[in-house]
Amino acid sequence: MSVQLFSPAGMFSPVPYHHVSISTGTRHVHVAGQIARDAEGNAVATGDLAGQVAQALRNTARGLAGAGASFADVVRLRFFVTNWTPDKYDDFVAGIDRVADELGLPRPLPPLSAIGVDYLFEPDVLVEVEAYAMLD
């Protein structure tokens, strides 16, 4: 299995992620939207976007690991963020930075989308993360 991440010349930059991924392999791993909950379902980092991004990524890492994958195998991330406004960008990135080394997040990140939504799973949920990975 291999994942090649890159940004072709002429694409908008700098951005903290690659614009394109190419993968080979036979097993597709899809991690459902992960939120800031602990193993017992308790809310983590209520009201703190950076803290919720970090916890949601930790949960995503657990899902990937359960399938024998890691963030090195991820070809795409999708973030849903409630009531998105540009002033939330710094907190959003701070949450990623908080766990980048801990989780082995590649830098730049795989292709990603951050999509603003009105609300998510429950009223306290500020962010949800989906991951798509490829394995042999």
Side-chain angles (χ1 to χ4, degrees), residues 5-136:
L5 303 173
F6 64 99
S7 291
M11 295 192 84
F12 175 70
S13 67
V15 292
Y17 57 88
H18 288 284
H19 285 281
V20 179
S21 65
I22 299 173
S23 60
T24 59
T26 57
R27 291 192 311 141
H28 298 248
V29 178
H30 299 266
V31 179
Q34 297 300 302
I35 60 174
R37 295 283 192 264
D38 64 17
E40 290 76 38
N42 299 308
V44 174
T46 302
D48 173 15
L49 179 60
Q52 287 201 17
V53 168
Q55 183 64 37
L57 285 168
R58 286 183 183 110
N59 292 343
T60 301
R62 285 185 191 96
L64 290 166
S70 73
F71 279 102
D73 303 305
V74 170
V75 298
R76 179 166 178 63
L77 292 168
R78 185 173 291 134
F79 293 83
F80 299 94
V81 185
T82 60
N83 302 309
W84 178 259
T85 55
D87 63 308
K88 294 182 179 184
Y89 180 80
D90 289 342
D91 288 337
F92 177 77
V93 171
I96 294 169
D97 289 342
R98 188 178 296 177
V99 294
D101 292 337
E102 172 189 336
L103 302 178
L105 294 174
R107 291 302 186 112
L109 294 163
L112 66 84
S113 297
I115 302 163
V117 297
D118 291 333
Y119 56 88
L120 288 164
F121 181 67
E122 290 183 347
D124 64 290
V125 177
L126 303 178
V127 67
E128 185 172 315
V129 183
E130 296 178 345
Y132 308 90
M134 183 71 73
L135 298 173
D136 278 334

